[in-house]
Amino acid sequence: MLKRTVYCGELTAEHVGQTVVLNGWAHSVRDHGGLIFIDLRDRTGLIQTVADPNSAPEAHAAAAGVHSEWVLAMEGRVRRRPAGTENPKLSTGEVEVELTRVEPLNAAKPLPFQVDQDSPVNEELRLKYRYLDLRRPAMYRKLKLRNDAVRRIRDYMYEQGFIEVETPIMTKSTPEGARDYLVPYRLQPGLFYALPQAPQQFKQLLMVAGVEKYFQIAKCFRDEAQRADRQPEFTQLDLEMSFVEQDDILRVVEGLTIDVVEALSDKKLLKPFARLTYDEAMARFGTDKPDLRYALELADVGGILKDTGFGVFRGALDSGGQVKALRYPGGASLSRKEIDDLTNMAKEAGAKGMAYLLVDEGGAVRSPIAKFLTEEETAGLLAAAEAEAGDLIAFIADKPAVVAKALDRLRREIGARLKLADPNLLAFCWITDFPCFEWDEEYNRWTFAHNPFAMPHPGHIDLIDSDPAAMRSFCYDLACNGSEWASGSIRIHKPDIQRAIFRKLGYNDEQIEEQFGHMLEAFTLGAPPHGGIAPGIDRLIMYLTDDENIREVIAFPKMGGGIDPMMGSPSPVDESQLKELGIRVVLPPPPG
Ligand code: ASP
């Protein structure tokens, strides 16, 4: 085989006159009645090659049999392209290779879709033939970017004194709020390993072991509803440190984030990263993942409405709820239908409805609810919402959680419609002091807000019976442009506090012992204060590439429903395998 002496994408005018050997794929083949042009592609790029029947009849004859995506080895001389035929769009566009030998290494049938074009291809087809999809230069660039990011992360972590430790994939359930993937244990049917939702317990136990600074590029597995930004298995930079406080962890991750983003992209950052407590973020933006690229803050107008006679607002306030306002700049010109669309969005987010005021260009106020408000109230509402002529002011009146969710939804919608966010800005923002617990309406019980291992603020453990909702923990997220990219906490390292938290989460003592006895015991055997965090690698790459679909930044992702159409997984297994595992499959009755 003719072995490569240079990559296609590396050829420049400096190579003119040299004889080179190239290996790669026929990106496109053009027969110009006599001359045959083959654009050869390897992972670095494209180079135009030419077979001339007069000067190299054998190479020309071989080139004549070549089709798109054949695998080739070629030898030839680099020359300048004739004047006027340069291709400025191609880094190699000044030169071409005049072929002297063409060695087909393998033929290729016509592909199920073209890799030489960026035309949209059905995603299922792309994933079924992911290895062809990844041949596209744009996809290779993402794999390479991901490689560069992970390499940079590793270097940064090593420089900071961390060591990388691998932790098991076959392990025991560790709660992060999702369902587990289970692996049956053949030697004792009925027992199962769980795939880790995070290496949480192992990294804490590594702190008890005295490792002090651990990290891992870790696969995590969570069986939860699929969304465009979620995969059943995903990758985190998992890290944990001993003898630290919250600020130490934030400093490491902030430094790392800035280092990676600045080295690998032209994205702008707001430095230092903003910091908001959870309560502030919820009050001002209705979410713990605010998009800080634009202002638009929620205004609590409960005070202005304290004496209101308007039933909808009155009812919400009297039952301990809130009334909050959000400004839609220029929204007064929306049609009735467009306002209905906004209302429906608020309803989908759980609100019963959306009240609004429209401020005409002249300053006059129009609104179906104007007649229920006093002049003073209307003026107060407009002032609180910082309304300007031409604006729509939206109001949601409900329980705080509903108000937050609906206005967050509307804020994102308004931001997107008015293109308020600078697409080249990554506005990272720390959210700190999360509640320890959230009330789970569906199951009527307390659940953890982050995971059960977050350390409550000093003294807050005493509120566990009297006012658990008021308990705050040293739990922090790093949000960016409206999504979450890292989540972590200072951990509990005292067994009595950890036990109290598990009890509150509804575990009885036997379950605590069975599921977490090893952790509690470790905390009695010299556990240092410690904490950590886990930024998402997939999400980081999405920030850098502007992809909104996580599947674009993972080499072999799953489709919706967790299906891999390339491997055909998940798939049935042999009856004998099931028998060995003591498993009988009971299919649900067919629908209908
Ligand atoms: N287990 C992680 C941590 O607190 C968070 C996560 O996996 O989402 O470090």
Side-chain angles (χ1 to χ4, degrees):
M1 186 188 102
L2 285 169
K3 285 236 185 96
R4 160 187 295 139
T5 57
V6 62
Y7 280 99
C8 298
E10 288 171 353
L11 287 174
T12 65
E14 283 182 15
H15 294 87
V16 169
Q18 289 182 19
T19 295
V20 295
V21 175
L22 303 164
N23 293 160
W25 286 259
H27 194 66
S28 64
V29 184
R30 301 179 300 278
D31 191 336
H32 283 194
L35 295 181
I36 296 173
F37 291 89
I38 298 177
D39 285 347
L40 193 73
R41 183 191 72 239
D42 63 23
R43 65 182 202 176
T44 64
L46 288 182
I47 178 72
Q48 173 166 293
T49 69
V50 197
D52 184 331
N54 300 321
S55 57
E58 269 181 45
H60 182 268
V66 167
H67 295 283
S68 239
E69 297 304 311
W70 277 38
V71 187
L72 303 172
M74 303 171 137
E75 183 196 72
R77 221 173 8 259
V78 183
R79 67 178 186 201
R80 261 182 205 286
R81 292 200 195 189
T85 67
E86 297 92 348
N87 180 354
K89 279 193 239 142
L90 218 55
S91 68
T92 61
E94 271 185 275
V95 293
E96 61 187 10
V97 175
E98 185 189 5
L99 295 170
T100 47
R101 288 167 72 185
V102 174
E103 185 185 345
L105 300 177
N106 211 349
K109 291 197 294 186
L111 304 193
F113 55 86
Q114 295 301 312
V115 299
D116 65 343
Q117 288 160 12
D118 277 333
S119 52
V121 178
N122 167 290
E123 198 187 10
E124 184 167 353
L125 195 62
R126 286 178 61 200
L127 291 180
K128 181 165 160 60
Y129 295 98
R130 187 60 153 183
Y131 52 91
L132 297 180
D133 192 37
L134 294 176
R135 264 190 209 167
R136 304 207 242 199
M139 293 306 286
Y140 176 75
R141 279 198 294 276
K142 289 184 202 186
L143 292 183
K144 177 69 168 61
L145 176 69
R146 188 173 172 125
N147 163 82
D148 295 348
V150 169
R151 177 176 181 167
R152 188 110 197 158
I153 288 171
R154 282 211 162 91
D155 285 346
Y156 190 92
M157 298 306 284
Y158 294 142
E159 267 163 36
Q160 300 282 321
F162 286 79
I163 70 160
E164 186 165 13
V165 182
E166 290 167 80
T167 57
I169 295 298
M170 284 160 48
T171 176
K172 190 166 169 139
S173 177
T174 188
E176 296 276 349
R179 278 197 195 86
D180 291 319
Y181 284 101
L182 299 176
V183 179
Y185 177 56
R186 182 178 54 81
L187 298 182
Q188 201 174 325
L191 300 189
F192 295 84
Y193 298 101
L195 306 186
Q197 293 185 34
Q200 182 66 31
Q201 297 186 42
F202 290 105
K203 67 174 171 176
Q204 290 194 240
L205 293 170
L206 284 170
M207 296 304 102
V208 183
V211 167
E212 300 206 25
K213 285 180 162 188
Y214 141 93
F215 86 100
Q216 180 180 193
I217 306 295
K219 271 287 177 85
C220 302
F221 306 85
R222 296 185 193 175
D223 186 359
E224 56 192 342
Q226 302 289 299
R227 290 193 318 228
D229 62 350
R230 273 197 197 147
Q231 279 279 295
E233 56 179 297
F234 59 93
T235 312
Q236 290 187 336
L237 161 64
D238 195 46
L239 69 96
E240 197 78 6
M241 303 165 80
S242 291
F243 306 108
V244 287
E245 289 168 338
Q246 175 169 299
D247 265 1
D248 301 302
I249 309 235
L250 270 45
R251 204 174 311 117
V252 169
V253 175
E254 187 159 331
L256 168 85
T257 308
I258 293 171
D259 178 77
V260 175
V261 170
E262 291 188 342
L264 298 179
S265 78
D266 300 326
K267 297 279 178 196
K268 285 179 284 174
L269 294 168
L270 299 178
K271 296 185 282 188
F273 295 172
R275 282 196 195 189
L276 296 171
T277 65
Y278 170 85
D279 291 332
E280 264 178 280
M282 294 307 288
R284 290 171 55 189
F285 304 101
T287 172
D288 55 9
K289 331 175 204 332
D291 190 336
L292 293 190
R293 288 174 298 175
Y294 50 93
L296 287 196
E297 298 198 14
L298 320 186
D300 188 339
V301 292
I304 296 161
L305 297 167
K306 64 182 186 322
D307 300 319
T308 187
F310 177 38
V312 172
F313 290 170
R314 184 73 278 141
L317 293 173
D318 285 350
S319 51
Q322 293 174 326
V323 184
K324 286 188 150 191
L326 176 66
R327 172 172 173 246
Y328 187 148
S333 58
L334 295 185
S335 68
R336 191 53 223 242
K337 153 102 182 38
E338 287 169 315
I339 297 179
D340 286 347
D341 289 345
L342 282 184
T343 307
N344 286 335
M345 259 169 227
K347 284 186 177 164
E348 274 160 30
K352 287 188 272 300
M354 179 190 89
Y356 59 90
L357 298 176
L358 302 170
V359 190
D360 281 344
E361 289 301 339
V365 174
R366 287 181 291 131
S367 164
I369 64 163
K371 56 180 178 287
F372 304 115
L373 301 169
T374 65
E375 247 173 60
E376 217 181 8
E377 282 167 351
T378 304
L381 292 176
L382 294 181
E386 299 180 4
E388 289 177 18
D391 288 352
L392 174 152
I393 308 299
F395 299 91
I396 303 289
D398 216 308
K399 286 186 283 198
V402 174
V403 172
K405 194 162 174 218
L407 286 177
D408 171 41
R409 177 75 189 83
L410 294 180
R411 184 175 179 272
R412 286 171 197 262
E413 178 67 22
I414 296 167
R417 284 193 193 176
L418 301 182
K419 297 197 170 42
L420 297 178
D422 174 352
N424 203 36
L425 178 65
L426 293 178
F428 284 96
C429 165
W430 289 107
I431 312 291
T432 61
D433 307 278
F434 275 76
C436 291
F437 301 111
E438 280 166 7
W439 182 250
D440 182 335
E441 301 261 357
E442 197 184 332
Y443 294 99
N444 253 330
R445 62 171 188 212
W446 291 104
T447 64
F448 48 81
H450 172 63
N451 65 28
F453 306 106
M455 178 72 104
H457 281 186
H460 282 214
I461 195 70
D462 302 337
L463 302 174
I464 198 156
D465 294 319
S466 56
D467 194 2
M471 287 174 67
R472 293 290 177 269
S473 67
F474 290 107
C475 176
Y476 33 79
D477 276 4
L478 186 50
C480 177
N481 294 5
S483 62
E484 171 197 316
W485 106 274
S487 194
S489 64
I490 296 297
R491 322 296 183 188
I492 297 166
H493 62 284
K494 305 268 190 181
D496 46 339
I497 300 182
Q498 187 67 76
R499 197 171 275 117
I501 298 280
F502 282 135
R503 284 194 187 126
K504 191 73 191 174
L505 292 171
Y507 295 92
N508 63 34
D509 284 350
E510 207 179 305
Q511 290 164 326
I512 295 175
E513 202 39 51
E514 206 278 311
Q515 291 187 43
F516 302 105
H518 55 287
M519 292 293 282
L520 294 166
E521 187 179 24
F523 292 165
T524 66
L525 298 173
H530 61 284
I533 189 164
I537 302 281
D538 311 293
R539 190 66 61 78
L540 171 67
I541 310 303
M542 290 164 76
Y543 293 146
L544 300 181
T545 59
D546 293 318
D547 276 304
E548 279 173 18
N549 184 338
I550 191 171
R551 298 188 286 275
E552 294 297 322
V553 299
I554 295 179
F556 297 105
K558 306 277 191 288
M559 293 200 338
I563 308 284
D564 173 352
M566 182 181 74
M567 298 297 289
S569 73
S571 57
V573 296
D574 266 2
E575 198 50 47
S576 59
Q577 269 179 301
L578 288 179
K579 207 164 164 206
E580 220 172 22
L581 296 167
I583 290 179
R584 191 179 317 121
V585 177
V586 182
L587 294 173

